[in-house]
Amino acid sequence: MITESILGTDFLIKNAKEIQVVIDNNAPEIEKLDQEIGDGDHIFNIQRGIKLVIELEPIIKHLSMSKALNQIAMKILSGIGGSSGALFGTLFMTMAKVSNIDDGIDYKKAINMFVDGVEAVKQRGKADVGEKTMMDVLIPVANCLKEGVEKDIDLKDLMRKTIETAEKGMLSTKNLLATKGRASFLGERSKGHIDPGARSSQLMIKTVCMSILNT
Ligand code: ADP
Ligand code: MG
């Protein structure tokens, strides 16, 4: 595991910009998925959230990591509707609270932050693996990263494994019955469609992993 690299607020903005391109390129697919089992606004919520984060660049580039993450969380919570606003807001707010992040962040600490964030999202939305939500991607990814840190595996190998884990989680939602969120109103009819939140989360995770792989 490479531990000497220090991640700053420039890492957040760089990734937000790369995520914007990937999400925009996949927007028609994500929109269709939420039209099939939700209310169709998921792509709008995600695109708006990313835009708001990128617009924070001039402010957050001068801030400490905890303050920058907190600003991002507040922006997401106040600026995005739907379940995704509350859930992604919780993710960033929790990461902002992890101790000593202003002393510098290496990949190990970044992974611990993400793992804590996902645990908070899980508690906020009360959804676990198997309920056809973004948690079918986020929880296995957090577990994969945690195991990678514990076993001290090579960072690039871990990124490749994480991409695979996210993809597998996203695909697993297709045949699941939705028991949380709007899709649960459809009952059996929710089966046969990939969950939109699982797809957008998988794409965002893949983008961050690819950016680390390319450094
Ligand atoms: P809304 O469902 O309120 O319209 P979005 O369309 O932005 O919000 O987001 C829908 C996505 O949110 C779903 O595809 C699912 O992945 C995720 N989701 C919904 N409810 C929950 C929950 N309780 N826990 C985790 N994720 C959830
Ligand atoms: Mg929706």
Side-chain angles (χ1 to χ4, degrees):
M1 171 81 61
I2 303 166
T3 50
E4 69 273 16
S5 304
I6 300 297
L7 306 177
T9 55
D10 52 338
F11 177 84
L12 300 176
I13 296 296
K14 177 177 172 277
N15 278 279
K17 288 179 179 170
E18 287 175 8
I19 284 172
Q20 186 175 49
V21 174
V22 173
I23 291 293
D24 286 351
N25 285 341
N26 291 276
E29 183 204 334
I30 298 169
E31 180 166 29
K32 188 164 170 277
L33 293 176
D34 199 36
Q35 282 165 351
E36 281 165 346
I37 60 165
D39 56 357
D41 65 346
H42 185 64
I43 186 62
F44 175 80
N45 292 335
I46 294 293
Q47 284 179 317
R48 180 168 163 78
I50 297 164
K51 185 173 170 276
L52 291 174
V53 171
I54 293 173
E55 282 169 5
L56 282 175
E57 178 172 11
I59 301 170
I60 68 173
K61 71 176 176 195
H62 304 296
L63 296 179
S64 63
M65 200 57 156
S66 61
K67 287 196 173 128
L69 288 168
N70 223 26
Q71 286 267 343
I72 291 174
M74 293 307 152
K75 209 45 162 184
I76 291 175
L77 284 173
S78 62
I80 324 180
S83 315
S84 2
L87 298 169
F88 282 109
T90 300
L91 179 75
F92 284 100
M93 208 186 330
T94 307
M95 291 199 294
K97 282 190 205 138
V98 172
S99 53
N100 304 325
I101 61 173
D102 295 337
D103 300 341
I105 300 173
D106 58 13
Y107 283 111
K108 203 169 167 181
K109 198 184 270 183
I111 287 172
N112 291 336
M113 288 163 70
F114 182 76
V115 168
D116 280 9
V118 170
E119 183 55 36
V121 175
K122 185 178 167 188
Q123 285 174 21
R124 180 79 171 79
K126 299 185 177 61
D128 212 327
V129 169
E131 302 206 76
K132 200 181 182 91
T133 70
M134 60 173 85
M135 302 320 289
D136 288 305
V137 171
L138 297 181
I139 294 173
V141 162
N143 290 340
C144 168
L145 291 168
K146 206 165 143 185
E147 197 187 311
V149 169
E150 280 159 12
K151 291 189 177 159
D152 202 23
I153 75 171
D154 173 75
L155 181 66
K156 295 210 169 176
D157 287 342
L158 182 55
M159 292 300 100
R160 282 185 277 269
K161 204 167 162 226
T162 304
I163 291 172
E164 278 170 31
T165 303
E167 183 135 349
K168 201 167 145 224
M170 178 273 291
L171 291 173
S172 79
T173 64
K174 184 161 182 176
N175 294 318
L176 287 173
L177 175 79
T179 49
K180 286 281 170 2
R182 237 172 252 285
S184 64
F185 306 152
L186 293 179
E188 284 291 326
R189 280 184 294 133
S190 66
K191 285 187 179 171
H193 307 277
I194 287 169
D195 174 66
R199 178 65 168 140
S200 60
S201 301
Q202 176 260 322
L203 286 167
M204 291 190 262
I205 288 161
K206 182 176 180 181
T207 308
V208 178
C209 291
M210 289 296 293
S211 128
I212 295 171
L213 277 172
N214 291 329
T215 51

